[in-house]
Amino acid sequence: MSCVFHPVKTKFGHGRRAPRRILALLREPALSTSAAPVKLIAHPIKRLEGRVRAPGDKSVSHRALMFGALALGETVVSGLLQGEDVLRTAAALRALGAQISRDGDVWRVRGFGVGGGREPDDVLDLGNSGTSARLLSGILASHPFTSFMTGDGSLRRRPMQRVIEPLSRMGARFQSREGGRMPLAVIGTDEMVPIEYTLPVASAQVKSSILLAGLNTAGDTTVIEPQATRDHTERMLRHFGAEVRVEPVEGGPGKRITVVGWPELKARDIIVPGDPSSAAFAVVAACLRPGSDVMVENVGLNPLRAGLYTTLKEMGANLLFKNERELGGEPVADLHVKGSKLKGIVVPAERAPSMIDEYPILAVAAAFAEGTTHMHGLAELRAKESDRLSSVAAGLAANGVKHEMGTDSLAVHGTGAAPAGGGLVTTHLDHRIAMSFLVLGLAARAPVAIDDGAPIDTSFPGFVALMNGLGAKIEAA
Ligand code: S3P
């Protein structure tokens, strides 16, 4: 925070800009300090109707702030997601010396440049945010100081070894809890060595962490991903002026991504598209209630993120992409969705990276479909904010939906009729479990309660109001 207040000190009372900056600071959404659970209940409704705008994309928002911090000059970001996870990234970057301020819907980042961060004087608390933790570890590892990261109960259970391993090969050192869990001490260096690293899991976070470390590393750092994952980092690296080479891996869907070290990143403006992962909740809810008619505007449809929409169309969803356009270098459309009769399908494992966050809401859609929906390649779901495969299975069981869970698969047996509902779902600090089962409650035969809706703010502040504005009935239980 000190970097935001600093210019105010000397000018306060004289300069015109000081009060405006203070107001901007006061308007910034506060990080939640209370861990009190908020029980919510969703009641069955008739139909959803209306037009809403998807909140900013979480992945793009984190990266916009990080690249702004690594660039010289002022980066102006519009459409940033003002969710808790992104605010955690902003706070961590401020602790490293970036000046970040908000003026209405516009965020301004004055960066410290590649390798120019300063040692944070306290532990970086990244809350619930795996993206903050994994991507920042690449930035921290390539600075010559020691920093400390922690997070909430969910984040402290998540695997960090997947970034510790490649970043250690580059020369950083780490101290973690058992099994590479946070809290984590990152003993960084500005003498990183470039590596060529094949990802053992399909993870855009691990890829991005290595590429970010590669920025402050002499020479070429290469990540080979056997399965293509979201490419926002590569797109943004180019946007800020870094040299990035992307080549196909022979005989497969993978890519070989190389970043050339020590670029001078220059500040650039960024427009954040709407988040397809957040839009999914309103889209599926509208599919499930006959007579619904909903437009979700401004949804990012990067092909490496849009797997759910391909899947819903295959299931028979009445879903149209309207007004397709480019926004900030990403494909975007307005999604027009109506009540639909869905059928069960097989969702292939190869599609998983393009819809990895959407399986909980897909499982809910599948519960209303006629026939069985088979989902494969789900092992990574166990490493999310909760063990999502188990959380989804437990939520389905609590609401009378027949299903089978395998080690990396899920089969949901729909009958074409609304499931019983009536269950109480445990969310395990997982925002997507919370939102998915509230959607189930809107269309089931009896209301569905969740034990804690507080984590929804990590990715979708205003979710309840937005859904209720469309005709949903979600309230405190
Ligand atoms: C993200 C990548 C995915 C996704 C997460 C955001 C990103 O995680 O689940 O919500 O912004 O890079 P993995 O890299 O662990 O698959």
Side-chain angles (χ1 to χ4, degrees):
M1 289 285 168
S2 60
C3 47
V4 176
F5 272 112
H6 182 68
V8 171
K9 265 190 208 153
T10 49
K11 291 190 174 162
F12 193 54
H14 313 288
R16 282 209 192 111
R17 289 174 55 189
R20 198 166 68 92
R21 284 189 176 229
I22 286 184
L23 283 175
L25 184 71
L26 291 176
R27 278 200 302 270
E28 182 169 324
L31 282 169
S32 110
T33 45
S34 126
V38 180
K39 197 170 167 191
L40 296 176
I41 187 160
H43 299 272
I45 47 135
K46 276 209 158 55
R47 60 202 290 265
L48 291 175
E49 195 176 7
R51 183 179 272 269
V52 288
R53 204 171 168 80
D57 188 280
K58 182 156 76 71
S59 293
V60 175
S61 296
H62 283 295
R63 286 160 173 83
L65 295 179
M66 288 184 199
F67 281 101
L70 293 173
L72 294 175
E74 186 178 83
T75 288
V76 178
V77 188
S78 46
L80 190 93
L81 171 69
Q82 314 208 6
E84 285 251 351
D85 280 13
V86 176
L87 299 181
R88 296 281 176 183
T89 286
L93 293 169
R94 281 179 179 136
L96 280 161
Q99 295 181 30
I100 303 179
S101 58
R102 174 182 174 231
D103 197 350
D105 283 342
V106 170
W107 288 68
R108 295 175 196 281
V109 186
R110 237 172 214 288
F112 43 72
V114 170
R118 63 164 187 238
E119 176 189 295
D121 61 11
D122 203 348
V123 178
L124 304 174
D125 183 349
L126 304 171
N128 192 258
S129 179
T131 309
S132 310
R134 293 332 180 338
L135 270 60
L136 280 168
S137 39
I139 296 177
L140 297 172
S142 50
H143 277 84
F145 48 68
T146 298
S147 43
F148 301 88
M149 297 196 299
T150 191
D152 70 6
S154 155
L155 188 54
R156 292 197 310 273
R157 281 191 294 273
R158 296 182 69 184
M160 292 297 287
Q161 195 58 39
R162 51 182 61 195
V163 290
I164 293 176
E165 216 258 321
L167 295 173
S168 302
R169 286 201 204 176
M170 294 177 82
R173 287 179 297 132
F174 295 84
Q175 286 289 331
S176 70
R177 288 195 307 130
E178 178 99 46
R181 314 276 154 178
M182 302 219 292
L184 196 65
V186 184
I187 303 141
T189 171
D190 55 4
E191 293 179 0
M192 300 285 265
V193 290
I195 56 169
E196 178 172 305
Y197 188 76
T198 301
L199 295 181
V201 287
S203 167
Q205 292 180 352
V206 179
K207 167 177 70 177
S208 303
S209 182
I210 300 167
L211 294 175
L212 284 164
L215 288 174
N216 198 27
T217 302
D220 292 1
T221 296
T222 298
V223 179
I224 298 167
E225 50 176 15
Q227 274 182 292
T229 64
R230 65 189 71 190
D231 61 354
H232 307 300
T233 298
E234 297 90 307
R235 285 173 187 246
M236 223 177 270
L237 277 168
R238 288 207 178 102
H239 186 58
F240 278 83
E243 190 182 334
V244 186
R245 292 192 300 274
V246 180
E247 297 143 326
V249 171
E250 232 171 82
K255 291 182 189 166
R256 198 188 143 82
I257 303 136
T258 300
V259 66
V260 179
W262 290 342
E264 194 177 298
L265 300 185
K266 297 210 177 65
R268 291 276 184 267
D269 291 354
I270 295 181
I271 304 170
V272 180
D275 197 322
S277 304
S278 299
F281 301 107
V283 168
V284 169
C287 279
L288 299 184
R289 290 308 305 146
S292 292
D293 189 340
V294 167
M295 181 77 91
V296 187
E297 294 174 347
N298 190 41
V299 181
L301 289 175
N302 178 317
L304 295 165
R305 295 286 301 282
L308 174 75
Y309 298 108
T310 308
T311 305
L312 287 174
K313 283 186 172 182
E314 286 175 9
M315 293 172 82
N318 192 339
L319 169 64
L320 293 175
F321 296 171
K322 299 263 176 76
N323 192 14
E324 291 185 53
R325 58 205 187 269
E326 280 246 324
L327 186 71
E330 299 269 355
V332 165
D334 301 333
L335 305 189
H336 188 195
V337 56
K338 292 187 178 170
S340 313
K341 229 182 150 6
L342 301 177
K343 61 176 194 296
I345 61 162
V346 176
V347 188
E350 310 82 77
R351 198 176 289 166
S354 71
M355 53 178 294
I356 194 67
D357 291 334
E358 279 66 82
Y359 285 98
I361 191 66
L362 174 63
V364 167
F368 291 79
E370 183 156 5
T372 300
T373 299
H374 297 272
M375 308 167 209
H376 299 286
L378 307 188
E380 267 299 299
L381 289 196
R382 298 198 184 272
K384 295 296 174 191
E385 284 80 336
S386 66
D387 169 351
R388 262 188 198 156
L389 199 41
S390 300
S391 308
V392 167
L396 294 174
N399 289 290
V401 181
K402 290 214 173 89
H403 64 280
E404 282 138 41
M405 178 181 72
T407 48
D408 71 344
S409 66
L410 181 67
V412 178
H413 305 295
T415 61
L424 170 62
V425 176
T426 309
T427 58
H428 301 286
L429 290 177
D430 189 330
H431 53 131
R432 297 198 202 282
I433 296 298
M435 290 184 276
S436 299
F437 283 96
L438 288 173
V439 168
L440 186 115
L442 298 177
R445 297 205 298 279
V448 173
I450 59 166
D451 68 339
D452 188 7
I456 292 173
D457 281 353
T458 62
S459 69
F460 201 154
F463 166 78
V464 172
L466 180 141
M467 295 298 292
N468 286 350
L470 289 172
K473 194 171 174 219
I474 303 173
E475 57 188 18

